Amino acid sequence: MSSITVGTRVETARGLASGRLARNVALGALVALLLFLTAYPLAMLVYGSLHTTPPGEAGTFNLDGYRAMLTRTNAVVLLNTIGLSLVKTGLAMVLALFLAWIVARTDTPYRETLEVLVTLPFYIPPILTAMAWGMLATPKGGVINLAWTGLTGSREPLVNIYSYGGVVWHMMQYSTPFLFLLMVGAFKSMDPALEESSRTSGATAFTTFRRVTLGLMLPVTTSAFLLSFIRGVESFESALIFGSPVGIEVITTEIYHLIHHTNRPDYQQATALALGIMVLMFLLVAWQWRLLGGRSFFTVTGKGYTPRVARLGRWRWATFAFCVLFFVVTVVLPVGQLIVSSFFKFFGFYRWSMVTTDHYFTVWNNRLVWRALANTLLLGVLGATATMMLGGLIAYVLVRTRFGIRRALEVLAWLPWMMPGMVLGIGFLWAYALMPGPVQLYGTLWALGVAYVTLGTPLAVRTMAGAFAQLAHDLEECSRVHGAPWWTTFRRILLALAWPAFAVGWILIFFIILRELSASILLYSVGNEVLSVVIMRLWTEGKAGQVSVIALVMLALVFLFRFAEQRFTRRGTSSPFRRSSPADAGSSLPPPRIARAKPALGGPEC
Amino acid sequence: MPGVTVDGVSKHFGAVRAVDRVSLDVADGRLLTLLGPSGCGKTTTLRMIAGLEHNDAGRIVIADRVVSDAAAGVFVAPERREIGMVFQSYAIWPHMTVFANVAYPLEVRRLTRTAVIERVGEVLRLMQMEHLATRQATMLSGGQQQRVAIARALVFQPRVLLMDEPLSNLDAQLREQMRLEIRALQQRLGITTVYVTHDQEEAMVLSDEIAVMHEGRVLQRADPQTVYARPASRTVAAFFGAPNLLAAKVREVRREGDGALARVDGEGWEGWGAAPDDVCEGDAVTVVVRPEIIRIATDAAGAGNGGRPGIAWRGVARQRIFRGARNLYTVETGAHGGGLAALRVTVDAPPDQTVALGSAVTLTVDAAQTWAVRD
């Protein structure tokens, strides 16, 4: 090849250099941003746990925080944390397995509707159900107890939500649908041939269920159990509302009280405790990894099997009723309570003369509520968008490239997964106090926004990584070869194809932001309140009526977005790039072969 | 000239050498096929030409422009190489219509809307897909997707066309039709093409030249006739159909005008076979005898080479596989009772020639139609 022109060669080399530079700058920026969002607050926890004075004040360093941590009270707190989470996970698991089996593997009528109903509590912010149950099952004036004493003439109330049982009960309402969602997928995607071959080998239906079905479910069950347990350890609302008033504390509430409810906020001990819970989380996660061989969760992947369905005969109405009962108890009762108490002058006095719409007007005229609503919506929309964009970029690097830096990115993006909101809140308190330069985030709305992005990042990355992994590499490569640079390809091919996943992830993160209380309650400042914080404040002030009104507004938001999400997922499942969807099966033309063509990391392949 | 040159290109995946110092060049307007079993490095080679993989060593030149030179640190991104590519899966973007799919390469090149519409219409007409322009890409049959993929690869008049097993997802009948169509299209447009396949028949129908690859190396590069009749090695021979590969020793070499004849001595048989020029007395060789050129006869008289040099075996017909157009016989021949395993020769005979199983047969073949390669 003697005729090669020098000109093109120079141009080529320059084009390459700029490409590589741009790529490295972009990667560097991504890593720096993640370092700021996750590693920085974590490091600041260590700093804060040694620092004797609150964030922003001059102080010295010692180990007092850790010394103060080692008390009998804190030992009880630790036992409470673990015990409560263990019990609620166990109970929720049994319930979830049963519900999932009913929905996925029996001929119970209206199963599709039941599935939607059973999962609904998952989307209701726990703070709202907590308020509702506080009104439903309080010993004095709770509707359930009023009904009980009225019906039986008994003087003793039936239930008291302010107890260990109450905390567990409230945590379960959120955990059960969560576990159900994980279980029902596993039940549904099981290859029926596995069970049929057990039957033809001579096993009875029950033996088959026990040895084959449950055996196959074991990895999913184990990992779901651990996941739910971990979520229980870091939960805040249930213990704060039902435990703290009667002296039942868990680690998260203890941290909160150390900062908010002592004469002199003890930031040092609170931070040390936060690090303590991080260590606990880390051990749990490490154990989970060992158990699951490096995965954080087992999923049963399968084609669109039609699973075997057990014929229940007349019992199918009993199982139907059971699912409906679950829905009534977890959704209808609390929501009903909120509606009722929003219309009564005083909580617990349900007489016609007490009916009023005053609470609505009070809330309407409350500027604080309007401000909080605006803040929540602004943070929700911007936060969810920013988080999903960030998650999409990280997911791309993780799934689609072989850059050496991607392991570091993966770890950084995953860190918040084991940081409870409370811990992250404290981390950011210290982080903001020590921000270099003129940039001040604390005291602004963005103090919350940054924390929300951090909290949502693991979910965003997982959602987008899952979607990207489903897209064949060819689709992307084809665009590059035919002249589109990386950014155009990312926009027009990858994001365009993963759009339903993006939308669903966006809504889920919006939910996370909407319901977030533990980080918000630490990071908000006057003028920058969000709805969950305002609700909590009004609740403490005993304004049950106004709480109910705001709760109903939030619920309306939740149902609106949940409805939108369902529309997206439905479109998503029938969209062309999901495999084996019913729509594809029905069409006579073969769908394009765009299922994952190669494992994500590539390899020698001819 | 807008050809493609691949010069000493290698690619490693960890410890695996997927492509090992491969050199090829495709002249302007020609079609070269990379042929080989899966895992031979043919797709990786193609992907390096496209810029989808970085070559660890060597140089790639497309249309007189160095697009990749590992030693000089030159690497041109795929979107700047001006190539059209058809993927094995077609890679039709499912969220776009046929028109949008085909228009995409023009849009990213910022052509005006009128130019895009005109050009896409033209190329869809060429592929006889005009009537489906507004159809959603997911609503296409395999063959239609194939046409869209080709249209998209050609729409911006690239200098080079790369095709990665484009026909492997089609059913047999459509595959044969598309083969001829692709060949006709390529010749009409005169576009330099590199084509990857594992299907030897496809390679022979389509190619100006075939490069047979195995374990990351090019074993032989020649026109289809040569690769078929005069394979460079036993591996290449084995890749085309199911020839009889008979081990033998060279006893005598007779040089002729454009080749050599060798007297070969196998296990219990001997005769004359064609051989490369450089074959020497005493060489261990594999004699390639394709089943379809062997004559089978039940009596010694009916066989024979009519005086021409060749090879003959005596044996017993043991098995017949009826294949419709052909009868496939397995004949046990050679070392009867000599302590050696019986030699099995497969013979592909015309359907009207039936031989009773168990009967003694004579097999003959002309020397010119055999080929003795060194092991």
Side-chain angles (χ1 to χ4, degrees), chain A residues 137-211:
Chain A
T138 187
K140 283 185 183 163
V143 175
I144 293 174
N145 290 319
L146 285 179
W148 170 257
T149 46
L151 283 174
T152 62
S154 157
R155 298 191 157 204
E156 288 300 304
L158 178 67
V159 285
N160 180 5
I161 195 80
Y162 296 99
S163 62
Y164 278 104
V167 177
V168 167
W169 166 243
H170 183 248
M171 284 164 102
M172 271 177 69
Q173 291 187 38
Y174 183 73
S175 296
T176 307
F178 174 69
L179 289 168
F180 171 87
L181 279 169
L182 301 175
M183 297 294 127
V184 82
F187 267 127
K188 276 184 176 170
S189 57
M190 202 177 284
D191 183 354
L194 296 170
E195 288 168 317
E196 281 157 5
S197 58
S198 163
R199 294 299 293 275
T200 54
S201 306
T204 61
F206 181 68
T207 310
T208 300
F209 183 76
R210 201 167 46 84
R211 295 203 33 196

Side-chain angles (χ1 to χ4, degrees), chain A residues 1 9 12 16 474-475 477-485 492-493 496-497 576 589-590 592-593 604-606, chain B residues 5 13 39-44 47 73 75-76 79 83 85 87 89 93 95 104 107 109 138-139 145 152 169:
Chain A
M1 283 285 152
R9 195 167 197 169
T12 301
L16 171 79
D474 289 358
L475 297 174
E477 287 171 348
C478 188
S479 164
R480 292 298 298 278
V481 167
H482 290 137
R492 291 201 49 183
I493 306 296
L497 278 170
L589 299 169
R593 279 174 38 97
E605 200 180 288
C606 192
Chain B
T5 303
F13 290 108
C40 72
K42 57 189 192 296
T43 292
T44 308
R47 289 170 59 81
F75 184 84
V76 176
E79 66 266 24
I83 42 179
M85 186 162 174
F87 290 76
S89 63
W93 297 305
H95 58 310
Y104 187 89
E107 282 172 6
R109 285 175 172 75
T138 46
M139 296 287 140
Q145 287 182 47
R152 183 178 57 188
N169 289 326

